[in-house]
Amino acid sequence: MKPKDFREMMSKALPKKDASKMEKHVFRIYDSNNDGYIDFSEFMLIFFIMSDGTPEEVLTKIFRVFDVNSDGTITQKEMTKLIKDMYGLLKSEDPNLAAKELISKSAFAEMDKDQDGKV
């Protein structure tokens, strides 16, 4: 599946949401070999892990969403980018959501236990 096909699938799955910014983050979970395509094996692997995987396997895949540059760590900048991209999906559901910067900083501070700027 090419990114364009994935985009169409996301728009069908979330017809009333602007998922355009989130699609590249979600695509990264599936495209485990980073070749720009999701093949059937990659799709089925993620499907299996997300439905029957261990908590560690599930968290590893979710971590890939936040690790935008795939360097094995999550920086404050990456967290902020992802929160901003996710905000488009969330804001239409609840107009009283906290500001995206506050969400990003709070989430990152909770995960960055040694305060080195990385998770």
Side-chain angles (χ1 to χ4, degrees), residues 34-98:
N34 297 315
D35 67 353
Y37 297 92
I38 300 171
D39 61 36
F40 185 73
S41 298
E42 289 172 321
F43 180 81
M44 289 308 295
L45 176 68
I46 298 306
F47 178 78
F48 172 77
I49 287 173
M50 295 309 229
S51 60
D52 291 329
T54 66
E56 184 175 337
E57 289 172 322
V58 172
L59 287 174
T60 298
K61 291 302 177 186
I62 293 171
F63 187 89
R64 282 181 53 97
V65 172
F66 289 88
D67 185 13
V68 174
N69 66 0
S70 301
D71 68 352
T73 62
I74 302 168
T75 63
Q76 175 71 45
K77 184 178 177 181
E78 288 173 314
M79 177 70 71
T80 300
K81 176 166 180 32
L82 189 75
I83 296 297
K84 284 179 180 177
D85 291 348
M86 288 174 64
Y87 195 70
L89 292 175
L90 301 174
K91 68 180 178 183
S92 64
E93 292 177 9
D94 182 0
N96 297 317
L97 281 175

